[in-house]
Amino acid sequence: MPADHDDLVIATSAGLYCPAGDFHIDPWQPVARAVITHGHSDHSRPGMGCYYAAAAGLPILHWRLGTQDYRAFDYGETFDLGRTRVSLHPAGHVLGSAQVRIECGERVWVASGDYKRQADPTCTPLQPQRCDTFITEATFALPIYRWPDTATVARDIVAWRDECAAQGEAAVLFCYALGKAQRLLAELRLHTSRPALLHGAIAAGVAVYRSAGIGLLDSLPIAEQERGRDYAGELILAPPSAAGSAWMRRFRRVQTGFASGWMQLRGNRRRRNYDRGFVVSDHADWPALLQTIEQTGATRVIATHGATDALVRVLNERGLSAGTFATDFGGED
Amino acid sequence: MQRFADLYRRLDRSTATSDKRAALIDYFRQAPPVDAAWALWLLSGGKIGGTKARIAGSTELREWIAEASRTPAWLVDECYDHVGDLAETLTLLLDEPEQIDAAPLHVWIEQRLLAVAGREAALRRELVVGAWLSLDSEQRFVFNKLLTGALRVGVSQRLVQQALAELSGVDIARIAQRMLGAWLPSPAFLQQLLSAQETAEDRAQPYPFFLASPLEGEAGSLGAIGDWLLEWKWDGIRLQLIRRAHQTALWSRGEERLDGRFPEIENAAQQLPRDCVIDGELLAWPLHQDMPLPFSALQTRIQRRKPGPKSLAEAPARLLAYDLLELDGADWRERPLAQRRAALQELLTGLPDARILLSPEVAATDWDEAARCRDTARERGVEGLMLKRSSSVYQAGRRRGDWWKWKLAPLSIDAVLLYAQAGHGRRSTLYTDYTFGLWRGDTLVPVAKAYSGLDDAEILALDKWIRAHTLERFGPVRSVQPLQVFELGFEAVNRSSRHKSGFAVRFPRILRWRQDKPAAEADRLETLQALAR
């Protein structure tokens, strides 16, 4: 859609930009002032002059980006940037994830970052913000994406581990190292007490969550296990990049699973050749996208990444003004 | 339908054939015959209703789901494009119902689906939408698969038959035979299928093949050559020709019926003077030529269910008969080979059609002469010699002692490793599938893939080397620095327009890792060319 000169946020080559406040949101090129929605690598990159972020997400940024010029704010706390008044509000995506609310005169815009509406013991749930214009993610914006109850999935994972145990196999569950892994540990804690084993790439993020006081299932790092030990019956969390790597050889008999919203499709499960797919997503499913958009009361919606075309068409058919921003945000889940 | 949906899920989840077979056995053991018969029908690719008794077309299903899920039609289509499977799309567009209909598979099919098949749209739609709103997603998916066609769950007919054979103790060949032709998914059929008693229909069934073992030692150790029958080892398809009561059936060694694929052989079989079962080798071999065409010519025929005139002319089939298992309804397998062969010779003498002929005996007075005959194998288009004890009975399966295959030493080339791919199963984290190339000018052209020949220690060492010397990745495949040379053995090399190099090598395998040889000294494509037919 053509940019209105009154738009509070516009798309630029460096990322989403607020001219009235002279700051960027989750930029992918170095800029002076970056408001960060969350710590995933496609949303928080190194090289920014100053990082404005939710206090709850600061430990993750520290872990990922090291020492930087951070300005941390509580959820709902306002701060002024240029002619705008900015505040960060929970997005329910991962620990410390935030929506960015921008107020300038009469106008209110909200940029969602990534978000979900399912309960997640590791982060504060999304609070819908009333606004004129809502910038939304659209990773899973098709009506075939409707997430199952997470507790049911967690029970399925435990049952799978037990099946593997009965067959003398290890159960290696692939999941993204930041957010998903910790959410799984938090959910699994309610259904099992047997510790999970962690790939090194996941152990670091788990430590960050633990020191933030999030209750997680006990875990042990694989790196500290005895050479040649038997992993039969153990649940092991590893990043997807470990699939097919030499690291996997230590599990002599093994089944693999992947926990992701993408596992909703049988074709994805089969193509990736995992034994099992578990549908657990940190993004909003179709009903949650529509519900959230409605709750914002926005009359204009801009979709940033994912299946934007379908969402935009549906919203326009419903009488809203909808369009897209091209971004560099990824579709990892 | 829950039990069938559970079976589907187990089959869909497992990648190992043994797991799938176990799932099938469990199902057929537990399911009541009224359901099991339908499951067998569906797993064998059978459909419900069919063209004349329609239940729902693709357009109807998309219309109905749009309304049932309150999704615009264009968005249903968009979802379908995204998912790529209509049954799955229909499943994913709805939420889980509060109440689940527990009717079993046969009730859904016989009392509900078939009851509305071919009726007016409103009735069919009411049934289908009603099912969608009363089945959980796993049952809904299977239900939708029944409507849209094949189950496609990675289960072959043979796997189903293996499971049934294991469950019932009935021989798989008999089960395969009993499932041929038209049958109805009824408990009566299932009972007959798994019956231990011989039925009238069992008469077109082949015998289990007797397989030769490779001769590893000296032929001289087999004793007096006079006790042995020597034949050429043909490079074709092992085949049983069954002629009983004017009916002909062709069975491959994979226990697959080949009827219709080789009409020239079936025609020739019609002229056989007596009922018989012949064991032989199918080859592509034009009548006026003195040797068979390479195996690649026969390959063009195997997959063609109804070969056209061009294919029949280019690769005409012949059957080289080498054994007689049954004559006039009597089982001859316990009689000595010499006697079987004499009767076979008599049977084929005077057969006007030369497309079925006796596999000739190779005459040799001692083993040295036999070895010299074997050395001519390649120029005759055969793989070597078969050595069969004249007194041997026709056994089942691979039994050592009486039948030996004495193949020519393989051809070999030194080729350079170009690409590697991870293997399957327990080798899935190791690069074990290799592609090798030969020099053409100063570039390397891929000529062969090989999966076997290295020991475990070599595989590990090579895997490590591959990871450290990767140039590029193409999905699961890595290209590597062209540095490692391997000696490859193979049975034959044929010219091929389907291969980039222009040649197809048959049965390539790794003989040796030539760590002593630099890549520049590997063979050139011309070497292969000189060996090609």
Side-chain angles (χ1 to χ4, degrees), chain A residues 143-165:
Chain A
I144 50 166
Y145 292 109
R146 325 166 88 82
W147 306 143
D149 172 49
T150 316
T152 309
V153 180
R155 279 193 294 271
D156 286 347
I157 292 172
V158 172
W160 171 59
R161 182 199 64 190
D162 294 345
E163 272 171 46
C164 289

Side-chain angles (χ1 to χ4, degrees), chain A residues 86-230:
Chain A
V86 181
S87 53
L88 302 172
H89 304 269
H93 176 57
V94 296
L95 176 62
S97 64
Q99 311 174 74
V100 183
R101 182 182 184 279
I102 308 161
E103 191 180 326
C104 183
E106 299 290 296
R107 289 167 295 157
V108 177
W109 284 44
V110 171
S112 74
D114 290 333
Y115 66 96
K116 70 169 174 286
R117 301 303 297 272
Q118 277 189 309
D120 177 348
T122 67
C123 58
T124 319
L126 176 135
Q127 292 162 6
Q129 301 297 310
R130 300 292 293 182
C131 56
D132 318 313
T133 298
F134 184 53
I135 302 173
T136 182
E137 68 140 316
T139 308
F140 291 104
L142 279 174
I144 50 166
Y145 292 109
R146 325 166 88 82
W147 306 143
D149 172 49
T150 316
T152 309
V153 180
R155 279 193 294 271
D156 286 347
I157 292 172
V158 172
W160 171 59
R161 182 199 64 190
D162 294 345
E163 272 171 46
C164 289
Q167 296 173 42
E169 295 167 316
V172 174
L173 182 58
F174 297 113
C175 53
Y176 283 104
L178 171 57
K180 186 68 59 65
Q182 295 76 19
R183 180 180 175 202
L184 288 172
L185 289 174
E187 293 282 356
L188 287 168
R189 188 168 77 131
L190 308 173
H191 305 282
T192 182
S193 55
R194 189 175 179 81
L197 290 142
L198 305 181
H199 183 280
I202 284 179
V206 166
V208 172
Y209 271 59
R210 281 194 202 285
S211 51
I214 312 283
L216 303 179
L217 179 67
D218 287 343
S219 59
L220 304 161
I222 287 276
E224 290 172 20
Q225 302 303 301
E226 254 173 69
R227 202 179 167 79
R229 78 155 276 193
D230 186 5

